[in-house]
């Protein structure tokens, strides 16, 4: 295995990649949990997989075609009703830069 | 009324003979749920208005005498989307989410006249084995309210076991139907991957997820699956293999059936009394005419490790969509768009979901991809080959469903890997896309034990045939929580 251990820095890095922020206590807890999980996960290195093809799905992957028929699917008003903030036709989101920051 | 001592045939007869109307049945179901759910906490949302309206429409059209599900109430795991009915996947991040379409399984059951009465509790995004990771409810085991109900489909299992509904839908990614079925002493079927459409299932791990059904009896289970299964143009992985009538071979005859018993499923981690119960079950099958031999599935012990990498990797990808923009929870007071994503996810997801997202993200990272994700996928191939070697000679595999009976709440809080190891006997079936069903096999310390029936892909008929013979010989379904029939 590439790594037998996971460090707190790696946990914080991975959280950042996954768009999660952790408190100090959470970072400690997840580091502890992930270390324990890694003890199980790294047992895979015992298995000889030389030349074994990976399985990502158990179905025979194939393209399924259907007739190109127009259907009246989800309408925007219904979809918008679920958005936490919206106008008549658009979903509202915060600015990309901090509110009040100079761009 | 409760459904502890009745089956679908009896209910159907009463509806057809007008001893009870669909509305009366729905009302009786709803009032029993209202009276009992403070005890069990199985439901997140009760669909009172929707259920009564649907039942009324069925009464007006007339009960279909040729359709056993006509007018029958049922429960729905809360990760199956229901049009206009709040669907949370037991997560804070989906609070207030009202889907604008129905899952294909819901559409199919409605077309058959079944009446959904509520959305059932589960582990958040189906990640867990005890239903304790739910943001909303703490579901209790139907037999002993100090014990976990199992998970992730804990609400579905308890609702059936406690007699709140005659059947309920669940999903199974690594054991989430079979394990809670075992813990609550009922029948829980995870069909072949591709047998039932996943359209409208809130995805956890798309190559492993499958919708299935909880019932009190094997025949009821076969009836509901017959109505749910089949190809769906909205799910490319759904199979075009014909759906047989799963009740066709329920004769009680299993003479000559070749059963394999894998040594690895009776190893050191399995409770001795559970083992003895399953051995007695196997002896019963032998008595009924099955031929039993011991076999080896050598990669079984690597299943948990490979599953947690693959399942978490797929989950980390599937759960990227929850960002606070289009639906569900959105936090107050964010600084900018990126902060909205981060705060939505950090405040909206529970710890177990975060743990798996991080494990999955790590497994898919450059530098670890080959050693984690690809390695796990290669081990998956070897597990599939183990099964195919067995099914070249045998019709069925029999094993315990779980290493232990239901345990106390909070038992493994600080040791997630202990909880994960509890899935060692159910995970391999998902890895290989096989059908697997848990059937009541007895009791240890007053708590139910489940026996697992595993067949080759699209051979659910074999499972039902054998399980029916076993059930009719043991009649364990007559034992219900709080006293026997």
């Amino acid at each position: 295995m590439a790594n037998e251990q996971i460090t707190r820095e790696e946990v914080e890095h991975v959280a950042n990649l996954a768009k999660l922020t952790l408190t100090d206590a959470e970072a400690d807890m997840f580091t502890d949990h992930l270390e324990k999980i890694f003890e199980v996960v790294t047992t895979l290195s015992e298995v000889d997989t030389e030349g074994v093809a990976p399985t990502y799905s158990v179905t025979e992957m194939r393209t399924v075609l259907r007739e190109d028929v127009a259907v009246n699917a989800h309408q925007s008003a219904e979809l918008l009703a679920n958005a936490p903030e919206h106008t008549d036709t658009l979903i509202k989101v915060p600015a990309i830069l901090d509110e009040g920051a100079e761009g | 009324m409760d459904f502890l001592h009745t089956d679908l045939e009896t209910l159907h007869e009463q509806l057809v003979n007008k001893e009870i109307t669909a509305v009366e049945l729905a009302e009786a179901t709803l009032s029993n749920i209202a009276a009992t759910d403070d005890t069990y906490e199985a439901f997140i949302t009760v669909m009172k208005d929707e259920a009564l309206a649907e039942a009324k429409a069925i009464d007006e059209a007339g009960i279909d005498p040729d359709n056993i599900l006509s007018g029958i109430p049922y429960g729905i795991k809360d990760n199956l989307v229901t049009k206009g009915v709040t669907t949370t996947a037991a997560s804070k991040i989906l609070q207030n989410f009202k889907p604008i379409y129905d899952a294909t399984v819901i559409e199919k059951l409605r077309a058959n006249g079944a009446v959904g009465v509520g959305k059932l509790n589960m582990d958040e995004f189906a990640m867990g084995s005890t239903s304790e990771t739910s943001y909303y409810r703490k579901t209790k085991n139907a037999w002993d309210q100090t014990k976990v109900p199992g998970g992730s489909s804990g609400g579905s299992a308890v609702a059936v076991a406690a007699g709140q509904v005659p059947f309920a839908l669940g999903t199974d990614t690594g054991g989430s139907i079979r394990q809670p079925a075992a813990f609550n002493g009922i029948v829980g079927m995870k069909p072949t991957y591709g047998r039932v459409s996943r359209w409208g299932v809130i995805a956890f791990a798309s190559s492993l997820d499958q919708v299935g059904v909880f019932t009190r009896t094997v025949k009821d289970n076969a009836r509901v699956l017959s109505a749910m299964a089949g190809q769906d143009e909205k799910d490319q992985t759904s199979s075009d293999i014909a759906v047989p009538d799963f009740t066709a071979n329920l004769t009680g005859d299993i003479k000559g059936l070749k059963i394999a018993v894998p040594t690895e499923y009776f190893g050191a981690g399995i409770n001795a009394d559970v083992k003895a119960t399953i051995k007695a079950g196997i002896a019963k099958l032998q008595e009924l005419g099955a031929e039993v031999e011991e076999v080896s599935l050598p990669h079984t012990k690597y299943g948990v490790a490979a599953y947690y990498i693959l399942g978490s990797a797929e989950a980390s990808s599937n759960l990227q969509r929850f960002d606070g923009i289009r639906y569900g929870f959105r936090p107050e007071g964010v600084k900018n768009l990126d902060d909205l994503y981060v705060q939505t996810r950090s405040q909206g997801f529970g710890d177990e979901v975060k743990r798996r997202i991080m494990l999955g993200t790590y497994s898919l990272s450059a530098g670890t991809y080959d050693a984690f994700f690809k390695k796990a996928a290669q081990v998956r191939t070897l597990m599939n080959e183990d099964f195919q070697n067995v099914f070249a000679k045998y019709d069925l595999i029999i094993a315990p469903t779980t290493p232990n009976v239901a345990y106390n709440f909070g038992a493994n809080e600080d040791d997630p890997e202990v909880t994960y190891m509890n899935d060692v006997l159910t995970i391999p079936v998902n890895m290989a896309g096989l059908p697997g069903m848990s059937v009541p096999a007895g009791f240890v310390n007053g708590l139910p034990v489940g026996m697992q029936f595993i067949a080759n892909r699209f051979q659910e008929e074999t499972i039902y045939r054998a399980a029916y013979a076993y059930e009719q010989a043991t009649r364990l379904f007559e034992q219900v929580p709080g006293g026997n029939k």
Side-chain angles (χ1 to χ4, degrees):
Chain A
M1 285 277 153
N3 281 307
E4 299 287 330
Q5 291 289 321
I6 186 161
T7 64
R8 189 187 153 116
E9 288 67 38
E10 283 176 306
V11 169
E12 285 174 341
H13 173 64
V14 166
N16 187 45
L17 290 176
K19 298 277 184 217
L20 294 169
T21 181
L22 305 179
T23 64
D24 277 351
E26 285 172 337
D28 287 340
M29 178 186 74
F30 285 124
T31 305
D32 178 48
H33 288 171
L34 287 168
E35 267 175 14
K36 286 175 175 160
I37 293 166
F38 269 40
E39 284 170 25
V40 176
V41 160
T42 48
T43 59
L44 291 185
S45 60
E46 299 166 20
V47 186
D48 181 6
T49 52
E50 191 63 39
V52 175
T55 298
Y56 297 114
S57 170
V58 291
T59 53
E60 65 278 36
M61 295 299 252
R62 68 205 193 286
T63 303
V64 182
L65 300 175
R66 61 171 169 78
E67 292 303 310
D68 184 16
V69 182
V71 290
N72 202 359
H74 310 143
Q75 297 304 293
S76 56
E78 282 183 290
L79 285 166
L80 280 167
N82 266 305
E85 285 188 77
H86 61 90
T87 67
D88 285 350
T89 52
L90 299 167
I91 293 173
K92 285 171 81 170
V93 296
I96 290 173
L97 299 172
D98 285 5
E99 299 292 342
E102 292 181 26
Chain B
M1 71 175 280
D2 68 49
F3 297 96
L4 289 170
H5 304 291
T6 188
D7 61 9
L8 291 178
E9 271 169 41
T10 311
L11 289 168
H12 181 61
E13 211 170 287
Q14 290 169 349
L15 285 161
V16 171
N17 295 339
K18 300 190 183 344
E19 291 164 43
I20 190 167
T21 66
V23 168
E24 286 165 356
L25 187 56
E27 280 171 346
T29 305
L30 291 163
S31 65
N32 181 53
I33 291 169
T36 56
D37 213 42
D38 285 347
T39 302
Y40 300 112
E41 296 193 51
F43 286 83
I44 295 178
T45 304
V46 176
M47 297 159 59
K48 188 176 178 195
D49 296 344
E50 294 83 357
L52 291 174
E54 281 187 27
K56 186 162 178 272
I58 288 164
D59 280 336
E60 281 167 7
I63 295 290
D64 179 355
D66 300 319
N67 195 327
I68 190 135
L69 298 182
S70 181
I72 301 290
Y74 76 103
I76 303 163
K77 188 178 182 181
D78 207 24
N79 62 346
L80 295 163
V81 302
T82 40
K83 186 173 183 177
V85 176
T86 306
T87 300
T88 67
S91 181
K92 179 182 178 184
I93 214 164
L94 282 176
Q95 68 183 22
N96 310 321
F97 172 53
K98 284 195 165 63
I100 64 169
Y101 65 97
D102 280 312
T104 295
V105 281
I106 306 294
E107 270 182 8
K108 286 190 126 172
L109 289 173
R110 181 177 296 117
N112 279 280
V115 176
V117 295
K119 303 301 292 287
L120 292 157
N121 196 34
M122 54 184 281
D123 282 295
E124 184 180 5
F125 285 106
M127 296 177 191
S129 314
T130 62
S131 302
E132 288 169 288
T133 71
S134 168
Y135 178 70
Y136 300 98
R137 308 281 277 168
K138 184 178 173 182
T139 302
K140 319 295 192 302
N141 191 288
W143 292 78
D144 177 347
Q145 283 77 64
T146 67
K147 305 292 180 194
V148 297
S152 66
S153 312
S156 303
V158 171
V160 172
Q164 292 177 315
V165 286
F167 75 93
L169 301 184
T171 59
D172 188 317
T173 306
S176 284
I177 289 174
R178 290 159 287 153
Q179 184 255 25
F183 278 11
N184 289 283
I186 56 170
V187 179
M189 166 61 106
K190 184 215 87 88
T192 308
Y193 184 83
R195 183 61 102 176
V196 179
S197 170
R198 290 181 298 109
W199 174 256
V201 179
I202 296 176
F204 160 12
S206 306
S207 84
L208 302 162
D209 296 343
Q210 184 62 195
V211 188
V213 60
F214 293 90
T215 53
R216 308 200 63 79
T217 68
V218 172
K219 190 182 264 188
D220 281 358
N221 203 288
R223 288 190 182 286
V224 180
L225 186 62
S226 295
M228 284 162 57
Q231 192 176 24
D232 178 12
E233 68 172 24
K234 293 174 181 152
D235 175 4
Q236 184 179 300
T237 62
S238 66
S239 172
D240 60 1
I241 290 175
V243 179
D245 173 1
F246 292 118
T247 62
N249 294 316
L250 307 186
T251 59
D253 179 15
I254 56 165
K255 279 192 189 64
L257 194 75
K258 292 193 179 67
I259 288 176
V261 177
T263 313
E264 291 81 1
Y265 283 59
F266 293 82
I270 317 301
N271 175 299
D273 294 330
V274 169
K275 259 190 246 188
T277 306
I278 301 305
K279 293 275 185 194
I282 292 166
K284 176 62 77 178
L285 288 165
Q286 221 162 356
E287 212 176 282
L288 293 168
E291 297 165 16
V292 179
E293 282 177 4
E294 208 166 305
V295 299
S296 176
L297 292 166
H299 295 91
T300 300
K301 69 170 174 172
Y302 301 108
V304 172
Y307 168 82
Y308 275 93
I309 291 174
L310 296 174
S312 299
E314 293 186 31
S316 73
S317 171
N318 275 324
L319 270 57
Q320 286 178 52
R321 74 192 59 170
F322 300 105
D323 57 10
I325 305 288
R326 291 156 296 163
Y327 39 69
F329 167 73
R330 181 186 283 198
E332 300 287 332
V334 298
K335 292 194 301 247
N336 55 45
L337 185 60
D338 190 65
D339 194 38
L340 172 65
Y341 300 148
V342 172
Q343 293 303 330
T344 298
R345 293 165 65 81
S346 300
Q347 296 177 38
F349 289 137
D351 287 348
E352 182 62 36
V353 173
K354 289 179 185 172
R355 192 150 50 225
R356 301 217 199 179
I357 288 174
M358 288 193 281
L359 176 61
T361 304
Y362 185 79
S363 305
L364 291 168
S365 304
T368 45
Y369 183 91
D370 280 356
F372 275 68
F373 189 66
K374 188 177 170 200
K375 182 82 180 181
Q378 289 173 309
V379 171
R380 186 177 186 181
T381 304
L382 296 173
M383 294 178 72
N384 293 348
E385 288 173 4
D386 286 353
F387 277 117
Q388 289 315 313
N389 289 338
V390 169
F391 287 126
K393 291 185 203 151
Y394 301 90
D395 302 309
L396 200 63
I397 292 171
I398 299 286
T401 306
T402 59
N404 277 293
V405 291
Y407 38 85
N408 292 332
F409 286 98
N412 308 312
E413 258 167 13
D414 300 320
D415 271 326
E417 95 281 11
V418 174
T419 305
Y420 292 179
M421 289 313 286
N422 285 324
D423 300 334
V424 64
L425 304 178
T426 46
I427 281 171
V429 160
N430 301 78
M431 297 291 268
L434 306 172
M437 187 163 87
S438 185
V439 177
F443 296 86
V444 168
N445 302 328
L447 293 166
V449 175
M451 186 155 82
Q452 191 174 197
F453 291 64
I454 302 167
N456 207 351
R457 302 195 66 215
F458 299 103
Q459 299 301 314
E460 287 89 351
E461 284 172 286
T462 309
I463 292 178
Y464 283 129
R465 177 183 158 211
Y468 181 79
Y470 177 74
E471 174 196 65
Q472 292 305 304
T474 58
R475 301 195 73 79
L476 284 162
F477 60 88
E478 290 175 353
Q479 300 198 28
V480 299
N484 298 342
K485 201 178 211 171

